[in-house]
């Protein structure tokens, strides 16, 4: 309430104090350049929008794809999509959250009304900005300005900033006791990998799995395969430094393609006597997508693409790989319906159903975000 208003009016009313917030943000002005820490203006939330104070945000390879141009987005832009924070203010009509609530922004919204939200098999809400390269809120405008210029949003979240604005369909309330610096990973990396195994592939007990790529998402796939009861989990990466962590989280075997003079899919087929039951590509490269497909059983194997595919690249493959019965699937946000599932995943974390600490390697202030991306690119 703005001030102490004493007025005679014929109906109940309230006056909300919506002001522009000035704060720090990591702005990417153009591709293949470092992030620039700038003072930005964050406009108040409009109807059905929520302004959030970001407490913690993860660095994801998908953000780096925009930096390198592998994913095409408009510039200038504020990236970031894996975060947790506290609601600062809400726009007219918002009912699901209120100021003070702990929340996780959702790059995959859940409007609850579109055909994908209403279908039990779908989770890719039509209100998502994922893959649309829009960079705006649903009304076609932005809530960020810097040095007099409009700054684009990133997949409806933009979390590399002290404050952000999202649509109500792209935020969900979580347990007030949850540690935001941990559960921010449920906003993307953990949920994406864990769900790819449990929701998309539906890994069965006693099965054999291969996981290509051991970043945060790949390690989360390993955790999902273990939770599903897989008897053998083969972790694949060209960085052997990642093998100890993979084994800690459930991998039974770790192999480096550089150690072999034959295609890695042939190695996996030989290791398993015909191929794995489930394979997961968690890198975002077309060559490893084909390798992952070819590494699973030719008749009943299931291969899941989890890594974000590079822009303007196509895959050419032998159709016999699919004709014999293999299933090739994609998985966005682990197949979870976001607003419904994220609070439940946070609750599971609070019950120690799974761990998140091993996925966190460094904690840095926003001003050192470029150092964080350097660590990501070096595989550290």
């Amino acid at each position: 309430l703005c001030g102490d208003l004493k007025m005679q009016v014929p109906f109940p009313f309230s006056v909300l104090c919506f002001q522009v917030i000035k704060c720090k943000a990591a702005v990417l002005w153009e591709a293949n350049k470092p992030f620039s820490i700038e003072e930005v203006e964050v406009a108040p939330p409009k109807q059905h929008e929520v302004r959030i104070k970001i407490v913690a945000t993860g660095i994801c390879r998908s953000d780096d794809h925009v930096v390198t141009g592998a994913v095409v987005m408009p510039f200038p832009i504020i990236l970031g999509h894996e975060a947790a924070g506290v609601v600062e203010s809400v726009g007219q009509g918002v009912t699901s959250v209120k100021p003070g609530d702990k929340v996780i922004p959702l790059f995959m919204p859940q409007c609850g009304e579109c055909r994908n939200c209403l279908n039990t098999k779908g989770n890719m809400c039509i209100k998502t900005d994922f893959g649309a390269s829009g960079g705006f809120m649903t009304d076609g405008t932005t809530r960020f300005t810097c040095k007099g210029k409009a700054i684009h949003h990133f997949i409806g979240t933009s979390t590399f900033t002290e404050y952000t604005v999202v649509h109500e369909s792209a935020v969900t309330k979580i347990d007030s006791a949850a540690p935001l610096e941990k559960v921010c990973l449920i906003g993307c990396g953990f949920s994406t990998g864990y769900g790819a195994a449990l929701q998309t592939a539906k890994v069965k007990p006693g099965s054999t799995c291969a996981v290509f790529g051991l970043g945060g998402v790949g390690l989360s796939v390993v955790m999902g395969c273990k939770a599903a009861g897989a008897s053998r989990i083969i972790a694949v990466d060209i960085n052997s430094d990642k093998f100890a962590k993979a084994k800690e989280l459930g991998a039974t075997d770790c192999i480096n393609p550089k150690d072999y003079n034959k295609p890695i899919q042939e190695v996996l087929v030989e290791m398993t006597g015909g191929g794995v039951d489930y394979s997961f590509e968690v890198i975002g490269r077309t060559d490893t997508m084909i390798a992952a497909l070819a590494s699973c059983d030719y008749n009943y194997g299931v291969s899941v693409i989890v890594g974000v595919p590079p822009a303007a690249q196509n895959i050419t493959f032998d159709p016999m790989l699919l004709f014999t019965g293999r299933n090739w699937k994609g998985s966005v946000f682990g197949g979870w319906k976001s607003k419904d599932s994220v609070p439940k995943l946070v609750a599971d974390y609070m019950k120690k159903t799974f761990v998140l600490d091993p996925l966190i390697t460094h904690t840095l202030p926003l001003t050192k975000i470029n150092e964080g991306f350097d660590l990501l690119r070096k595989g550290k």
Side-chain angles (χ1 to χ4, degrees):
L1 193 66
C2 280
D4 181 15
L5 300 180
K6 296 180 180 178
M7 301 170 62
Q8 295 294 321
V9 291
F11 52 85
F13 79 108
S14 64
V15 179
L16 295 178
C17 190
F18 288 136
Q19 296 179 335
V20 171
I21 288 178
K22 291 184 178 181
C23 67
K24 289 180 182 177
V27 178
L28 190 67
W29 292 98
E30 55 183 303
N32 293 302
K33 296 289 185 181
F35 290 89
S36 178
I37 303 300
E38 307 277 8
E39 182 180 79
V40 300
E41 294 84 40
V42 184
K46 295 186 179 180
Q47 188 173 21
H48 295 297
E49 293 178 357
V50 179
R51 189 160 59 182
I52 305 167
K53 177 180 175 59
I54 298 296
V55 172
T57 184
I59 290 177
C60 180
R61 181 68 71 174
S62 301
D63 301 306
D64 195 44
H65 285 335
V66 179
V67 178
T68 62
V71 170
V72 178
M73 292 295 293
F75 294 101
I77 192 168
I78 294 175
L79 298 178
H81 61 285
E82 180 184 82
V86 178
V87 174
E88 179 270 336
S89 59
V90 300
Q92 183 180 356
V94 172
T95 58
S96 62
V97 296
K98 65 184 184 304
D101 284 346
K102 283 188 176 181
V103 294
I104 288 179
L106 308 169
F107 76 87
M108 184 55 62
Q110 185 183 347
C111 70
E113 299 172 351
C114 71
R115 58 180 293 176
N116 288 347
C117 285
L118 294 173
N119 191 310
T120 57
K121 294 184 284 186
N123 79 317
M124 198 161 181
C125 177
I126 62 169
K127 288 191 176 181
T128 181
D129 194 28
F130 189 80
S133 299
F136 296 107
M137 297 295 288
T138 54
D139 67 352
T141 64
T142 175
R143 303 294 167 268
F144 299 119
T145 56
C146 179
K147 299 177 180 177
K149 295 182 179 179
I151 308 296
H152 292 90
H153 293 252
F154 179 55
I155 52 178
T157 48
S158 289
T159 61
F160 293 165
T161 172
E162 293 176 325
Y163 288 86
T164 192
V165 177
V166 304
H167 191 271
E168 185 180 13
S169 63
V171 64
T172 190
K173 181 181 177 180
I174 61 171
D175 186 341
S176 61
L180 299 183
E181 73 280 6
K182 313 281 189 189
V183 299
C184 61
L185 300 182
I186 293 174
C188 178
F190 173 77
S191 302
T192 295
Y194 195 67
L198 295 175
Q199 292 279 115
T200 306
K202 292 181 169 57
V203 171
K204 289 186 169 50
S207 58
T208 300
C209 304
V211 181
F212 288 66
L214 300 176
V217 182
L219 291 172
S220 299
V221 174
V222 170
M223 293 166 68
C225 292
K226 181 181 179 181
S231 61
R232 193 175 186 187
I233 304 169
I234 305 170
V236 184
D237 203 293
I238 59 173
N239 182 353
S240 298
D241 292 342
K242 296 185 176 183
F243 291 168
K245 184 68 67 71
K247 287 188 174 181
E248 175 190 338
L249 293 174
T252 56
D253 307 76
C254 294
I255 58 176
N256 187 331
K258 291 182 176 180
D259 294 338
Y260 301 89
N261 57 7
K262 62 176 69 174
I264 194 62
Q265 57 264 39
E266 294 181 17
V267 175
L268 287 163
V269 168
E270 290 176 6
M271 283 179 66
T272 56
V276 297
D277 299 304
Y278 304 93
S279 66
F280 302 85
E281 200 281 348
V282 205
I283 304 167
R285 292 175 56 97
T286 55
D287 55 347
T288 45
M289 291 173 186
I290 294 293
L293 176 65
S295 71
C296 65
D297 185 275
Y298 74 97
N299 182 218
Y300 55 77
V302 175
S303 187
V304 183
I305 294 174
V306 187
V308 177
Q313 287 193 26
N314 296 318
I315 292 182
T316 301
F317 68 99
D318 182 353
M320 190 61 71
L321 286 169
L322 294 178
F323 176 75
T324 55
R326 288 182 180 91
N327 278 280
W328 209 1
K329 309 182 79 172
S331 182
V332 177
F333 196 57
W336 305 107
K337 287 186 183 293
S338 58
K339 282 180 80 79
D340 293 342
S341 300
V342 165
K344 294 176 183 176
L345 287 168
V346 171
D348 284 345
Y349 169 75
M350 298 297 285
K351 291 185 289 188
K352 295 181 169 51
T353 303
F354 54 81
V355 295
L356 292 174
D357 283 41
L359 302 178
I360 302 171
T361 58
H362 299 77
T363 301
L364 302 168
L366 178 64
T367 53
K368 292 188 177 181
I369 190 169
N370 288 307
E371 293 181 28
F373 272 85
D374 287 342
L375 291 165
L376 173 75
R377 293 162 190 147
K378 292 175 181 176
K380 296 182 179 181

